[in-house]
């Protein structure tokens, strides 16, 4: 596996690379990321993983600063999954001085995460479009864990006539049900135990006649940002809570879709 930091070098490396599968990430890899690498490996000639903690999608600088980072470990894990190229650019490489062009997926970026993280999806859509233009993948791989992100990116791909397929893979969970997230390492054992209420509440809600009311009742005592049914594909019951200084999001498909 090669680690590449500049757009020029990456374009050079990908010349004649055949069918490329791209997995955009912010690093601090866990089994969720690895599941995307495996899916990409299974159907692509060349697998590129990007590792970029995208400042444009963080409204809060403290959140950006404390985001977990461990490039050396990430490189080992990616290589072990057969990733060919780890693209790990600097912020200046992707946002050079004078940068001023943004992608706004208007309606889908509002509500849920968009309400609590203003500008988040503008940052996500912009960086993903840049990565798609730089890497020119045939397929790009995302996690259902970030259901609204998948919906926003699908809309962007359709609206801007992008010539690629988006694959969305199921949420990978710890044995106790907590959705894997790079941020989970920031949780104290007590916070983790409280955070476990989120997947339990969402699963209970998804099985009930009143999904939102049932989930909210189960989350009583936690700081809840939102619980809502979102009409994505598939429809999901989505929620976000705060435990300590960490925000957790999760969702479960409705209408009998399996995860
Ligand atoms: P991140 O590094 O958190 O930006 O995530 C990179 C990609 O991995 C995104 O498409 C996420 O949706 C996906 N992802 C994150 N957590 C999980 C998970 N627990 N299961 C499956 N995919 C995930």
């Amino acid at each position: 596996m090669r680690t590449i930091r500049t757009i020029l070098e990456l374009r050079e490396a990908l010349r004649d690379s055949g069918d490329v599968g791209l997995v955009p990430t912010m690093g601090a890899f866990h089994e969720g990321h690895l599941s995307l690498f495996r899916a990409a490996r299974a159907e692509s000639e060349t697998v590129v993983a990007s590792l970029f903690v995208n400042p444009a999608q963080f409204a809060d600088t403290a959140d950006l600063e404390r985001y977990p980072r461990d490039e050396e470990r990430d490189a080992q894990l990616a290589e072990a999954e057969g990733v060919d190229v780890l693209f790990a650019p600097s912020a200046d490489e992707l946002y050079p001085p004078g940068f001023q062009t943004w992608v706004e997926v208007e309606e889908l970026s509002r509500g849920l995460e968009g309400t609590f993280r203003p500008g988040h999806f503008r940052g996500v859509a912009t960086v993903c479009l840049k990565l798609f233009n730089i890497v020119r993948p045939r397929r790009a791989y995302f996690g259902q864990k970030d259901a609204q992100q998948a919906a926003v990116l699908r809309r962007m791909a359709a609206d801007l006539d992008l010539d690629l397929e988006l694959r969305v893979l199921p949420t990978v969970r710890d044995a106790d049900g907590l959705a894997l997230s790079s941020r989970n390492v920031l949780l104290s054992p007590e916070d983790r135990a409280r955070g476990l209420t989120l997947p339990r509440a969402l699963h209970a809600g998804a099985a009930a006649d009143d999904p939102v009311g049932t989930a909210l009742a189960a989350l009583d005592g936690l700081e809840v940002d939102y619980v809502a049914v979102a009409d994505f594909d598939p429809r999901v019951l989505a929620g976000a809570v705060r435990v300590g200084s960490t925000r957790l999001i999760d969702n479960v498909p409705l209408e009998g879709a399996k995860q």
Side-chain angles (χ1 to χ4, degrees):
M1 189 186 75
R2 283 181 68 189
T3 297
I4 292 182
R5 300 194 189 276
T6 68
I7 296 166
L8 202 66
E9 255 184 289
L10 185 71
R11 289 206 164 121
E12 188 60 39
L14 294 181
R15 190 178 297 172
D16 308 320
S17 54
D19 214 359
V20 176
L22 170 67
V23 184
T25 83
M26 299 205 300
F29 294 156
H30 50 66
E31 277 293 326
H33 298 107
L34 304 191
S35 73
L36 305 185
F37 298 156
R38 280 174 209 140
R41 183 67 285 165
E43 53 184 4
S44 319
E45 281 166 67
T46 302
V47 176
V48 178
S50 61
L51 194 178
F52 181 62
V53 184
N54 177 27
Q57 69 189 66
F58 287 79
D60 177 3
T61 15
D63 187 26
L64 171 64
E65 273 159 22
R66 73 191 205 117
Y67 197 84
R69 292 168 172 85
D70 190 345
E71 187 185 311
E72 206 177 311
R73 176 177 170 274
D74 286 348
Q76 284 167 6
L77 290 170
E79 182 159 37
E81 294 302 338
V83 170
D84 299 297
V85 174
L86 188 66
F87 179 50
S90 67
D92 265 3
E93 182 71 7
L94 290 196
Y95 301 107
F99 185 92
Q100 54 188 286
T101 304
W102 299 97
V103 182
E104 193 96 53
V105 180
E106 294 184 342
E107 233 174 90
L108 278 167
S109 296
R110 290 199 276 268
L112 306 177
E113 287 302 288
T115 306
F116 292 89
R117 305 186 67 188
H120 173 67
F121 289 115
R122 174 176 113 136
V124 169
T126 302
V127 82
C128 284
L129 183 60
K130 283 174 68 69
L131 290 168
F132 296 161
N133 283 330
I134 294 164
V135 175
R136 304 216 162 255
R138 177 90 297 280
R139 287 170 294 271
Y141 298 80
F142 296 91
Q144 174 63 22
K145 157 92 184 346
D146 298 280
Q148 190 174 7
Q149 168 173 282
V152 163
L153 294 175
R154 275 199 184 118
R155 190 71 247 170
M156 176 183 80
D159 288 351
L160 299 182
D161 310 298
L162 302 188
D163 187 19
L164 86 172
E165 287 170 50
L166 292 194
R167 295 262 199 272
V168 180
L169 281 101
T171 302
V172 179
R173 298 176 181 281
D174 263 336
D176 59 10
L178 191 68
L180 296 183
S181 162
S182 301
R183 286 190 167 90
N184 290 356
V185 299
L186 302 172
L187 296 170
S188 68
E190 297 75 31
D191 287 344
R192 195 182 186 290
R194 291 199 301 148
L196 205 45
T197 316
L198 179 61
R200 291 183 179 156
L202 294 176
H203 279 107
D209 289 337
D210 172 15
V212 172
T214 305
L216 280 174
L219 288 169
D220 191 29
L222 256 78
E223 202 183 327
V224 177
D225 277 355
Y226 62 83
V227 170
V229 172
D231 214 2
F232 304 141
D233 178 20
R235 236 158 66 91
V236 294
L237 179 63
V241 298
R242 292 169 198 251
V243 278
S245 48
T246 303
R247 224 174 143 261
L248 298 178
I249 66 168
D250 200 349
N251 68 87
V252 300
L254 293 171
E255 293 162 339
K258 282 225 180 80
Q259 252 213 115

